[in-house]
Amino acid sequence: MLLPWPYPDDEASHAGSGRPERDDEDIRLAALVAQRLSIDWTTRRQQIVVTVQNGVVILTGRVTDPYVRQAAGELAWDVQGVSDVCNALRLAGAGRSRG
């Protein structure tokens, strides 16, 4: 998740935008999803990066097989507050040429 880096005295970036609450919720969701993935035996040893933007979980990285990819997406969906999941996980070794 990319967070804006406003100047400390920049009141315009804080006043009435509602952004800090959304960012806090996204950070909370990212932590919950990452925790869920690290606990589950299927996904705990995989290279999964969790990003959240406006309640949408984005999963990136590499996993060992399609079952793990599907399980990661389902685990992310099970976290309360997640509005959508973009499962961009790739299979390890996929796309490499063998020659």
Side-chain angles (χ1 to χ4, degrees):
M1 176 167 106
L2 278 177
L3 296 176
W5 192 271
Y7 291 105
D9 298 329
D10 186 8
E11 292 298 321
S13 67
H14 301 292
S17 68
R19 229 42 216 130
E21 293 82 18
R22 181 74 252 170
D23 290 342
D24 289 346
E25 178 64 12
D26 286 348
I27 292 168
R28 185 187 74 79
L29 284 174
L32 289 172
V33 171
Q35 179 183 31
R36 172 83 48 102
L37 294 173
S38 69
I39 291 172
D40 190 271
W41 68 272
T42 308
T43 55
R44 82 172 107 195
R45 297 189 191 272
Q46 304 297 314
Q47 297 175 356
I48 300 173
V49 177
V50 178
T51 309
V52 179
Q53 291 182 335
N54 299 319
V56 177
V57 174
I58 304 162
L59 302 175
T60 57
R62 295 189 179 271
V63 295
T64 55
D65 61 58
Y67 174 75
V68 174
R69 182 180 186 276
Q70 179 181 353
E74 290 173 359
L75 288 167
W77 265 114
D78 286 342
V79 174
Q80 186 174 4
V82 170
S83 60
D84 199 1
V85 174
C86 175
N87 192 341
L89 291 170
R90 297 180 358 177
L91 297 179
R96 293 183 183 169
S97 64
R98 297 179 186 173

